[in-house]
Amino acid sequence: MSSSYFESSHLLWQNPQPQHANVEIFRRMVNRKRGLDLKDYHDFHRYSIENYSFWEDAWQHLRIIYSVPPQKVITEGTIPNVPIWFPGARLNYAENLLWRNDDSIACTAGGELGRVTDISFRELRLKVRDMASAMRANGLQIGDRVAAVVTNSIESVVLALATASIGAIYSSTATDMGTEGILDRYRQIQPKFLFFETEIMYAGKIVDLRDKVSAVINGLHDHGLKCAVLLPSTITGKEYDNVPKTTALGKFLATGTGSNSELVFEQLPFNHPLYILYSSGTSGPPKCIVHSAGGVLMQTLKDQRMFFDMKEGDTLFQFTTTGWMMWNFMVSCLASGCRMILYDGSPFHPTLEAYLKFISDVGVTHWGTSPRFLAEVKGRKLSPLKIASFQGLRALAVTGAVVTAPLFDWAHKEFDGKLYFVSTSGGTDVCSAFVAGVPSLPVYAGEIQAKTLGMAVEVFDENGKNIEHTGQAGELVCTKPHPSLPIMLWGDTPDGKKLRDTYFNYYPGIWRQGDFMAVNPKTKGIVILGRSDGVLNPNGVRFGSGEIYTVMEKFNTIVEDCICVGQRRPNIDEHERVLLFLKMRPGNKFTTKLEKDIRHSIRTSLSARHVPAYIFEVEDIPVTINGKKIEIAVKQIVSGSNLKPSGTVANPESLKLYYKYKEIEKVAHATGAETRAKL
Ligand SMILES: CC(=O)CC(=O)O
């Protein structure tokens, strides 16, 4: 196993006033309330995982709005390992987000067209009231599913909150999801209501979605759909009402009682379902992960306030579509009295500069983005501060993929060393973070600072032994329950067999996240090395693709993107072979010299055993519509499987490029890779 994970780690940033961080205020409150002497974040974390009373403290500190208090913190549920949190409590997620009924701005929406729209908390509440009233008038009830194929807009926030106010369950996908991908999801959850965009703009192109609407409605025939509502064009505002079996939004809203109605927040148990999110579905049908209203509320608020250090009046811009859990995560910031920025469209259109300027101009204090995006800005040699002032920006939060030390360094330098760089990792499965930045702890480049409060994260080896103290990499597991465990997988048996098989079977009774991680014994910082099903294992040395990506960061002005996978052909290969595929930036050539430099860098930064067997140039790297590299599909293809691309793949054609590598010897010979590998 490699011990190189922390070699490039170094101190990058320290909060000049750590005592003012929300997490420190919370720690002091717990000390006072419980008569404890928790000295620092690490003490606090230990307390939080050893005492369920921590969650009672969090309930109080996060100021959860409820009508009936809980009888206790936790009790056994019907699905083994998935307890019921805060039994007896009654609350409503939407009520917790809409308490701030004033004229401050709740959402600012922008996009490629350059139009910026603000909506106040008061106006948002009225819109939610009107939507909920129409939904009720059309028969929506507690527990019904509302599905949406929508852009990241004010309307999509209204839909989610109106649904939640009624106690129905909301599920959205992005508009670029293919028809089959949408049907794979919505056929399973059988929505009663469906909301669909009709016309959108992406990368400067007008996309008419009406054929997709028809195909989805036909595909949901006999799956319980009662009402399909079309949103007006996001470009012209025009209402389309000529798609069979649909109603235009204006007509739909007119069926409600509008200003004559009150916004009613149904008072529901803590673990009442709120959202259905989906596993990526790149290697099988997507799983429908049901999250509870209380669980999402507490965990997202905890993460935003404690780890992003968000305070009332702050502004969060999370770049996301409505099909990624970060959208659901972001929406909760309203509960902290914060504003959120909703951006719809490509960050590269009309220009990357215009997009960066937008973020600065709308006064973002907390900017959530992906390492891939930052790597692109870096690769294009752009300096954000030369484009805009970013006044007010305090935190840069990155998630969605492995973040490398050079990327931390670049961001730190580019923002004059002033930003708190928060790297987090969690997932759709928990709609929150397992590990994240902690604003009162030093930031080390290349490391995520700590495990989040209440999350009993450990590192297990293949035999279920905790190997965290060794600094070696293993599986990220969570050994105790927390409030945002999925309450069920939709369509599962009552005893939760599918849920248990998915998360609790590999290590009996213990949550296995499917990520490969290591903890630095010196700093307690964490590195996530990629998905554990993509772990590379040539000649018995196990490592994560993230280690190779860290090295490849050095080449990012020449190589636009890359993907590293293991090839294992049953009955042909004795050992796994590591293959690295490069997509070159336009105008750059894949040369023997570049390959030699890459091999040298990997050998010296990691070890000779990390050096890929072959390096190839490819035209495209497959990614999900959330921008994640799809290693598992490429691994399966090059190892000889035939794979039907799922609707989650943003560029399904790209997968075809990898089939020829099944016959690796032939391709290596024909492309000269065989000779280059020996140089
Ligand atoms: C918080 C996350 O971990 C987001 C993701 O990668 O899906």
Side-chain angles (χ1 to χ4, degrees):
M1 275 206 233
S2 169
S3 57
S4 58
Y5 315 124
F6 307 107
E7 261 165 27
S8 48
S9 138
H10 51 273
L11 181 65
L12 197 71
W13 181 86
Q14 246 170 329
N15 189 338
Q17 293 186 303
Q19 71 278 19
H20 295 332
N22 286 340
V23 70
E24 292 302 309
I25 296 170
F26 185 21
R27 179 178 62 80
R28 294 195 295 268
M29 173 214 136
V30 171
N31 273 343
R32 275 195 309 276
K33 179 176 165 192
R34 306 264 172 208
L36 296 171
D37 185 24
L38 307 170
K39 294 217 165 17
D40 59 13
Y41 179 80
H42 297 297
D43 273 2
F44 193 19
H45 181 264
R46 203 169 313 111
Y47 164 78
S48 77
I49 57 170
E50 285 173 359
N51 300 278
Y52 285 130
S53 56
F54 162 77
W55 291 105
E56 188 188 321
D57 303 337
W59 171 287
Q60 198 181 11
H61 191 72
L62 298 171
R63 293 192 301 272
I64 302 297
I65 298 169
Y66 58 91
S67 55
V68 181
Q71 289 144 4
K72 53 180 172 173
V73 176
I74 188 167
T75 187
E76 235 167 78
T78 47
I79 302 182
N81 310 316
V82 182
I84 294 175
W85 288 87
F86 298 105
R90 286 282 184 279
L91 54 90
N92 186 285
Y93 177 81
E95 185 173 19
N96 273 273
L97 270 63
L98 292 173
W99 61 267
R100 191 167 174 182
N101 191 11
D102 62 19
D103 293 323
S104 321
I105 305 299
C107 310
T108 298
E112 289 181 16
L113 289 168
R115 283 194 301 247
V116 178
T117 312
D118 288 323
I119 183 167
S120 70
F121 280 93
R122 196 189 310 284
E123 289 163 331
L124 180 63
R125 206 178 147 109
L126 293 178
K127 270 181 157 280
V128 172
R129 176 199 66 188
D130 294 352
M131 181 65 78
S133 159
M135 285 172 160
R136 285 184 195 269
N138 286 275
L140 191 72
Q141 292 178 0
I142 292 183
D144 287 340
R145 273 80 58 213
V146 173
V149 183
V150 284
T151 55
N152 180 22
S153 63
I154 293 171
E155 221 56 73
S156 58
V157 176
V158 170
L159 284 173
L161 296 188
T163 304
S165 72
I166 296 170
I169 312 170
Y170 187 71
S171 191
S172 57
T173 66
T175 50
D176 56 355
M177 175 73 76
T179 304
E180 278 313 307
I182 297 170
L183 289 174
D184 281 351
R185 286 157 177 75
Y186 294 166
R187 271 197 189 125
Q188 295 190 62
I189 67 162
Q190 308 204 331
K192 192 172 193 178
F193 282 38
L194 175 69
F195 290 82
F196 225 116
E197 301 282 3
T198 46
E199 189 175 59
I200 59 146
M201 168 84 81
Y202 194 82
K205 292 199 187 75
I206 295 174
V207 187
D208 185 340
L209 293 165
R210 284 172 294 163
D211 284 349
K212 186 144 73 175
V213 175
S214 297
V216 169
I217 290 177
N218 290 335
L220 287 177
H221 186 68
D222 285 344
H223 285 78
L225 187 65
K226 293 274 180 305
C227 186
V229 182
L230 298 186
L231 303 190
S233 160
T234 62
I235 306 155
T236 59
K238 181 173 155 54
E239 293 252 31
Y240 290 104
D241 57 5
N242 53 355
V243 181
K245 302 186 209 155
T246 65
T247 319
L249 181 67
K251 273 200 192 141
F252 176 75
L253 290 173
T255 59
T257 42
S259 56
N260 295 325
S261 58
E262 283 280 314
L263 176 54
V264 176
F265 296 108
E266 296 298 332
Q267 296 303 304
L268 302 159
F270 183 90
N271 69 333
H272 183 78
L274 171 71
Y275 288 135
I276 302 179
L277 308 179
Y278 302 90
S279 66
S280 68
T282 48
S283 52
K287 294 189 186 71
C288 309
I289 304 167
V290 187
H291 281 292
S292 73
V296 170
L297 181 67
M298 275 196 100
Q299 289 275 41
T300 52
L301 289 193
K302 181 198 71 176
D303 288 355
Q304 291 171 4
R305 294 206 202 145
M306 300 306 135
F307 307 114
F308 282 30
D309 203 30
M310 289 187 68
K311 304 183 200 275
E312 190 172 327
D314 279 342
T315 297
L316 173 64
F317 171 48
Q318 175 62 52
F319 184 71
T320 178
T321 68
T322 58
W324 187 24
M325 54 71 66
M326 288 310 288
W327 187 86
N328 310 77
F329 176 89
M330 163 187 79
V331 170
S332 288
C333 83
L334 296 176
S336 300
C338 295
R339 175 174 65 129
M340 64 186 164
I341 308 295
L342 307 165
Y343 190 87
D344 179 53
S346 161
F348 303 106
H349 196 88
T351 59
L352 183 48
E353 286 85 342
Y355 172 77
L356 292 172
K357 197 163 170 330
F358 167 81
I359 296 168
S360 173
D361 289 351
V362 294
V364 171
T365 56
H366 293 71
W367 175 16
T369 186
S370 63
R372 200 174 138 83
F373 175 78
L374 291 185
E376 189 57 34
V377 179
K378 176 173 174 264
R380 292 187 189 199
K381 299 194 178 124
L382 288 177
S383 291
L385 286 188
K386 289 200 183 124
I387 293 162
S389 68
F390 288 92
Q391 249 178 25
L393 185 65
R394 298 205 312 272
L396 184 58
V398 187
T399 194
V402 174
V403 192
T404 61
L407 205 55
F408 273 76
D409 286 330
W410 174 84
H412 181 71
K413 190 164 143 274
E414 284 299 329
F415 288 96
D416 280 353
K418 292 195 184 120
L419 287 192
Y420 163 45
F421 193 82
V422 197
S423 172
T424 64
S425 185
T428 302
D429 328 78
V430 291
C431 199
S432 56
F434 282 114
V435 292
V438 178
S440 52
L441 290 179
V443 174
Y444 291 89
E447 292 184 6
I448 297 177
Q449 286 152 283
K451 302 167 186 172
T452 56
L453 293 171
M455 304 301 251
V457 171
E458 295 182 23
V459 187
F460 274 14
D461 71 6
E462 277 164 11
N463 304 316
K465 190 167 152 240
N466 186 336
I467 51 161
E468 183 171 323
H469 59 284
T470 64
Q472 301 294 350
E475 294 277 351
L476 188 169
V477 298
C478 189
T479 56
K480 297 246 172 83
H482 57 82
S484 66
L485 281 175
I487 48 175
M488 63 187 284
L489 297 182
W490 196 265
D492 202 353
T493 48
D495 66 348
K497 180 170 180 334
K498 198 166 163 189
L499 182 75
R500 279 182 288 121
D501 287 351
T502 306
Y503 299 109
F504 294 104
N505 267 5
Y506 193 90
Y507 302 115
I510 287 180
W511 177 279
R512 171 184 173 259
Q513 175 61 16
D515 284 331
F516 199 48
M517 76 175 263
V519 177
N520 186 342
K522 273 199 219 136
T523 62
K524 300 199 169 100
I526 290 150
V527 286
I528 300 286
L529 299 146
R531 294 292 293 166
S532 41
D533 51 14
V535 160
L536 302 158
N537 196 2
N539 304 310
V541 51
R542 290 177 87 220
F543 60 97
S545 52
E547 291 181 77
I548 302 290
Y549 301 146
T550 302
V551 176
M552 288 306 297
E553 197 75 40
K554 290 183 206 149
F555 299 92
N556 118 310
T557 53
I558 309 170
V559 178
E560 185 176 310
D561 203 359
C562 63
I563 193 163
C564 185
V565 299
Q567 179 181 52
R568 186 81 198 256
R569 297 171 305 174
N571 309 324
I572 304 180
D573 299 321
E574 203 185 321
H575 294 295
E576 187 172 288
R577 168 187 300 112
V578 175
L579 306 180
L580 176 63
F581 297 95
L582 313 179
K583 179 182 179 188
M584 302 301 294
R585 280 194 184 280
N588 290 281
K589 283 216 161 64
F590 176 51
T591 58
T592 304
K593 158 130 184 26
L594 175 65
E595 174 157 353
K596 260 178 109 174
D597 290 349
I598 292 174
R599 286 178 178 281
H600 176 74
S601 269
I602 296 176
R603 190 174 302 112
T604 49
S605 311
L606 300 168
S607 81
R609 300 209 285 172
H610 288 75
V611 178
Y614 295 116
I615 304 181
F616 297 102
E617 178 181 6
V618 281
E619 278 163 51
D620 210 359
I621 306 288
V623 288
T624 65
I625 54 180
N626 292 329
K628 297 188 187 208
K629 300 182 215 261
I630 309 178
E631 288 169 354
I632 184 71
V634 173
K635 177 176 177 167
Q636 285 174 6
I637 289 172
V638 299
S639 300
S641 303
N642 282 323
L643 211 91
K644 184 178 163 277
S646 79
T648 308
V649 188
N651 47 354
E653 286 299 303
S654 65
L655 287 171
K656 294 192 185 140
L657 303 170
Y658 294 84
Y659 277 97
K660 65 179 182 202
Y661 298 97
K662 282 193 287 195
E663 297 185 71
I664 193 79
E665 295 79 8
K666 257 197 207 163
V667 197
H669 187 69
T671 58
E674 190 183 69
T675 319
R676 288 195 307 270
K678 292 184 192 135
L679 292 176

